[in-house]
Amino acid sequence: MTSTGFVAVAAGVFVRRCPVLDVNSTLVVGDGEALLVDTLSTDGQARDLAAAIRALTPYPWIIVNTHHHFDHCFGNAVLAEGGRPVWGHEAAAALLAERADALRRQWYEEWVATDPELAAGLAEVRVVPPDHTVHGSATLAVGGRSVTLRHLGRGHTAGDLVVQVPDADLLIAGDLVEQAGPPSFEDAYPLEWPETLAAMQHLLGPDSVVVPGHGSPVGPGFVHHQHTELTDLAWRIRDGHADGAPAEAVAARAPFGPQAALTAVRRGYAELAGRAV
Ligand SMILES: [Zn+2]
């Protein structure tokens, strides 16, 4: 590890794990330009990240947000200073543009009891939505390197992007893949997530490195295992809904632990019942 906290995970690709929530930020360094994936939660965290990048490369950077959750994009205001482009999926950009105040309040309330410092930081953030949006895919030239942003379907949220760096055999998965804890389902589409991960698996070779949203880099075997568990969960949701089983009973036997699974089952039931989620 360098003193900046960045760890080289592939040729010219560095990952820095923020101790708060174990969030990853990934830097792809090309010749004369760089690309930063995910900007952390607060102005303070983003300033530390900017200093860490500056210690690694003098080049300007393009920003990508993997999705709209605060820990992946609330550092945009600081890291996009000077008018750097910010890329994101169109659904993520719309949520951040239309619901910035509501989201900031919701997340403040969610964290104020357990991490008041984080909550105070969230309350101060000026939300900057992506100004370059992706519908299906977009390929960017980053200092001579080709980097592709892809929306593979709904999963962790309505607007997840994965970032593929083919010359490094590396894929940045955002929270579609979770290593530090169970997947998070608060804004998820648990019935569609398995297909989205199946599409991701098609992009991976046997030696590919996958950077999850939180935790350590993983390989295709880990993604395969998470796909199997998400598929199991989706079938339990469908069966439980068909049988009229209480969500708690389905969650108690489902993968990822009863708490995470209960959120997933409730989201899945609502979707199957035709309620807006
Ligand atoms: Zn997330």
Side-chain angles (χ1 to χ4, degrees):
M1 195 195 292
T2 65
S3 60
T4 63
F6 273 111
V7 178
V9 293
V13 183
F14 305 86
V15 176
R16 181 176 179 271
R17 204 161 151 173
C18 177
V20 180
L21 305 176
D22 244 345
V23 194
N24 287 322
S25 296
T26 307
L27 190 71
V28 181
V29 182
D31 186 8
E33 195 171 32
L35 177 131
L36 170 69
V37 182
D38 287 347
T39 61
L40 303 176
S41 304
T42 63
D43 289 355
Q45 289 177 16
R47 274 193 289 270
D48 288 348
L49 176 57
I53 298 170
R54 267 296 157 253
L56 206 62
T57 173
Y59 303 145
W61 57 79
I62 302 164
I63 295 170
V64 180
N65 297 141
T66 55
H67 60 292
H68 77 280
H69 286 157
F70 67 86
D71 45 334
H72 302 264
C73 66
F74 269 23
N76 284 359
V78 167
L79 284 150
E81 255 167 29
R84 301 181 204 281
V86 182
W87 288 78
H89 184 258
E90 58 193 18
L95 277 165
L96 288 171
E98 292 158 18
R99 301 198 55 231
D101 289 341
L103 289 170
R104 196 172 36 204
R105 200 173 319 121
Q106 175 195 327
W107 287 324
Y108 172 84
E109 280 162 14
E110 209 174 297
W111 287 97
V112 68
T114 51
D115 192 337
E117 192 187 333
L118 173 63
L122 295 176
E124 288 170 4
V125 163
R126 180 171 64 86
V127 176
V128 173
D131 54 5
H132 290 62
T133 59
V134 179
H135 174 71
S137 73
T139 297
L140 311 181
V142 181
R145 303 180 79 166
S146 172
V147 175
T148 302
L149 320 181
R150 293 181 197 279
H151 176 64
L152 301 172
R154 300 196 296 187
H156 173 66
T157 67
D160 303 301
L161 280 188
V162 304
V163 180
Q164 210 184 353
V165 190
D167 70 17
D169 194 7
L170 178 132
L171 185 136
I172 300 152
D175 289 357
L176 285 170
V177 174
E178 287 287 20
Q179 191 277 334
S184 142
F185 294 99
E186 280 72 22
D187 297 312
Y189 295 82
L191 305 174
E192 295 165 48
W193 198 333
E195 278 177 49
T196 302
L197 269 203
M200 184 192 295
Q201 287 180 278
H202 286 299
L203 301 175
L204 302 177
D207 301 318
S208 296
V209 173
V210 177
V211 181
H214 304 254
S216 306
V218 298
F222 185 95
V223 178
H224 175 75
H225 179 70
Q226 201 147 93
H227 174 251
T228 305
E229 288 190 301
L230 284 163
T231 304
D232 179 18
L233 174 63
W235 278 108
R236 286 174 187 274
I237 293 171
R238 287 183 198 283
D239 286 348
H241 187 259
D243 296 344
E248 290 77 6
V250 175
R253 292 186 296 273
F256 306 122
Q259 206 183 339
L262 183 58
T263 308
V265 177
R266 286 186 173 143
R267 297 268 308 172
Y269 272 20
E271 205 179 339
L272 288 167
R275 294 200 297 276
V277 292

